[in-house]
Amino acid sequence: LVYWALNFSFQGPAFLSDEIGYLSKAAVLAGWTINLHTGWHGGYSFFLAPSFLVFQEPSQIFRSAVFTNACLWALTFASLWGVLSRLSPETSSSRRVGAMALCALYPTWIVSCGYTIATSALALLFTFSALCLLRPGWGGLLLHSVCVGLLFWCHPTGLAVAAASLFSQLLLLKRSSAARFLAS
């Protein structure tokens, strides 16, 4: 809600090259005709495409994209709650809320106000991938792998997360099966 309220004063995107890339790919995904040639990855555009399906006016599309980003941040904190619950199930809810409040002080979400950049999707996919990796069984591993792939599809920096994921699972290979590592 704070993110959405802070963005309400912005009338449109700042028109940075990555914003243009994400928005143009979202428009194409929604059926608009536009040139897709940009150097930016298109994963974040899937989150924005519904805005182009519902609205026609650029200002409405931007407001809808801001709402989408606010929802992505809300889902990020919901995923963080799940991560904290799995990592420390004996910790009280008030301590978990405190940890989440501390994470909310990190200025990434507020610095991205006024922009349609992939930061909100990256945070969600990273947190959700960690939550999935904490789930036992193949289902969690599969979801983790999908999230890590989407991270890279949203932004090239997701490659670092993919490398770290494979490296950490390689270190854990002694405790788990080789098939699980290869599936990831």
Side-chain angles (χ1 to χ4, degrees), residues 75-100:
L75 290 171
T76 298
F77 283 100
S79 295
L80 179 59
W81 180 266
V83 168
L84 294 172
S85 297
R86 289 196 184 264
L87 287 178
S88 186
E90 71 285 345
T91 302
S92 69
S93 294
S94 61
R95 292 193 92 169
R96 281 192 208 120
V97 168
M100 288 178 62

Side-chain angles (χ1 to χ4, degrees), residues 12-93:
F15 299 107
L16 300 173
S17 64
D18 51 347
E19 286 186 290
I20 299 299
Y22 296 134
L23 290 168
S24 64
K25 283 179 175 55
V28 168
L29 291 169
W32 292 30
T33 303
I34 197 165
N35 182 359
L36 266 181
H37 182 70
T38 68
W40 297 96
H41 291 204
Y44 172 58
S45 301
F46 275 107
F47 294 101
L48 300 178
S51 299
F52 285 85
L53 288 170
V54 175
F55 301 105
Q56 298 296 316
E57 290 296 316
S59 62
Q60 293 172 325
I61 292 169
F62 176 73
R63 296 244 184 242
S64 178
V66 166
F67 177 75
T68 299
N69 283 340
C71 291
L72 292 175
W73 283 116
L75 290 171
T76 298
F77 283 100
S79 295
L80 179 59
W81 180 266
V83 168
L84 294 172
S85 297
R86 289 196 184 264
L87 287 178
S88 186
E90 71 285 345
T91 302
S92 69
S93 294

Side-chain angles (χ1 to χ4, degrees), residues 3 22 41-48 65-66 68-77 79 108-109 112 115-129 146-155 157-158 161:
Y3 174 85
Y22 296 134
H41 291 204
Y44 172 58
S45 301
F46 275 107
F47 294 101
L48 300 178
V66 166
T68 299
N69 283 340
C71 291
L72 292 175
W73 283 116
L75 290 171
T76 298
F77 283 100
S79 295
T108 301
W109 63 273
S112 63
Y115 299 98
T116 50
I117 55 177
T119 306
S120 54
L122 292 173
L124 171 61
L125 290 169
F126 179 81
T127 308
F128 191 67
S129 72
V146 168
C147 286
V148 169
L150 286 172
L151 265 167
F152 177 66
W153 201 23
C154 282
H155 199 276
T157 56
V161 177

